[in-house]
Amino acid sequence: MSFIEVAEDHDFSYQNLPYGIFSTASNPTPRIGVAIGDWVLDVTAVKHLFSPELAEKCIEGQTTLNALMGAGRPAWTEFRNTLKKILSKDDPSLQNNAGLRASALIQNTEVIMHLPAQIGDYTDFYSSRNHATNVGTMFRGKDNALQPNWLHLPVGYHGRASSVVLSGTPIRRPTGQILPSPTATTPVFSPCKLMDFELEMGFFVGPGNDFGEPIKMGDAADHIFGMVLMNDWSARDIQKWEYVPLGPFNAKNFGTTISPWVVTMDALAPFRLPLEPKVDPEPLPYLVEKDSYQFDIKLFTAIRGENMTKPEIVASSNFKYMYWSPRQQLVHHSVTGCNMRPGDLLGSGTISGTEPHEYGSLLELCWKGTKEVKLGESGEIRKFLKDGDDVIMTGYAQGMGYRVGFGTCAGKVAP
């Protein structure tokens, strides 16, 4: 255990220790931090407690996590083990050094968070069977809900890395071409009227692969650094008009929000849930996992309108509902020889459960506008997002007496 007290229901337990990039008013240089309880450990201030090789390669002068991401699993293990030792109640290095504690431990209210990585490329998948079935049923009917390829490969598209933003960044309502009525065949130029959230998670790529050399399933876990919460905002009416024949474009490129703290796969390992192998149909050999699993991560989406005093939860889901796993997504992405790079971001796709309250988008919750979504006891209702709405996503894995959480992924709709 740590000498720093952490409440049992706090996201940032000693068992978690997520990584982020922060600065302060007194020191505006972005640098690596580790969250524990209500504190942030300035890793630069304790770099002398790491091995010289690790400090030089992954800590000194680093304003993103890219170097650590690319360093690979042995470095990740050493980095995490050193942190656990530094923060342990059994180690005096930091605990008994008042001067070092004063410079290295910063209240989380005093830090300014930054994007954790220089994101070179961003890809979003469509890997929840429940979500894909719901959307397909709305637009094509129950008997033709899934496209013929969906059960054979992780469907995805290339997103826009430049518009991935940090939690707390306002998201402007996009303007584009929409059809003014259900029977119209000619578009008009208009602000989006059907703006939506998508409850997702994303993972950061660690070491990349050489151009032309696919990542094999047996190696895939060593190429996945950690996970964040993600809201892949969507303009449903813009998407409806533009998506044929090449899929989403302007409907998805105006903003993707992520949480600032990256939770490592080592921290999530205790929350693996074994899955039955996919057999109907069985994937092609390159996508077969010998140890198929997902993670038991509870996920929540809340909305707070401008006239509301507190956010109200509209959806509660779980990452365990994903059909295709992060490893399968990464392997499929690189099977052509596409070279992945440290800091690349891959989105899970909207995460929906089997019950209506577990749906990961307003499109599903309002069932394409045919139902109203009540915002708790506030008296407000929604079908799609209004200007001024705060969308707040949270998530955590629950251990015995501790949590491994992700903090918040939040954004307000701006006109």
Side-chain angles (χ1 to χ4, degrees), residues 115 161-167 169-171 233 254-259:
L115 281 174
S162 65
S163 54
V164 176
V165 298
L166 197 66
S167 177
T169 305
I171 300 295
W233 305 83
F254 62 95
T256 299
T257 304
I258 63 171
S259 52

Side-chain angles (χ1 to χ4, degrees), residues 8-192:
E8 288 189 1
D9 61 351
H10 202 296
D11 276 358
F12 304 140
S13 61
Y14 178 64
Q15 292 85 349
N16 189 353
L17 303 182
Y19 308 152
I21 297 295
F22 79 101
S23 63
T24 58
S26 60
N27 183 356
T29 301
R31 53 205 187 272
I32 299 175
V34 175
I36 179 167
D38 294 329
W39 299 88
V40 173
L41 175 67
D42 185 342
V43 176
T44 303
V46 295
K47 66 182 180 182
H48 60 285
L49 299 178
F50 289 78
S51 69
E53 296 79 12
L54 197 60
E56 180 180 1
K57 184 176 182 181
C58 299
I59 300 173
E60 292 177 5
Q62 299 299 325
T63 58
T64 69
L65 292 172
N66 290 66
L68 180 59
M69 290 173 172
R73 183 161 298 281
W76 302 344
T77 300
E78 181 185 345
F79 195 88
R80 181 172 169 83
N81 287 345
T82 302
L83 285 170
K84 298 201 79 168
K85 180 176 183 294
I86 292 170
L87 294 167
S88 169
K89 64 181 179 60
D90 299 321
D91 187 90
S93 304
L94 180 60
Q95 180 178 196
N96 295 346
N97 188 330
L100 185 59
R101 286 202 317 274
S103 62
L105 288 171
I106 304 166
Q107 284 278 354
N108 62 10
T109 54
E110 298 178 11
V111 303
I112 302 163
M113 299 304 296
H114 303 269
L115 281 174
Q118 178 65 45
I119 302 170
D121 283 295
Y122 160 53
T123 300
D124 193 35
F125 285 90
Y126 186 55
S127 292
S128 163
R129 185 171 185 172
N130 297 320
H131 173 68
T133 299
N134 289 340
V135 174
T137 299
M138 287 181 218
F139 292 98
R140 294 186 299 275
K142 185 176 181 180
D143 293 337
N144 194 32
L146 293 180
Q147 297 284 13
N149 62 355
W150 200 94
L151 293 171
H152 293 273
L153 57 84
V155 173
Y157 70 94
H158 294 288
R160 183 72 185 175
S162 65
S163 54
V164 176
V165 298
L166 197 66
S167 177
T169 305
I171 300 295
R172 180 172 293 175
R173 181 179 296 273
T175 302
Q177 294 190 23
I178 66 171
L179 294 175
S181 71
T183 58
T185 57
T186 301
V188 297
F189 187 69
S190 167
C192 166

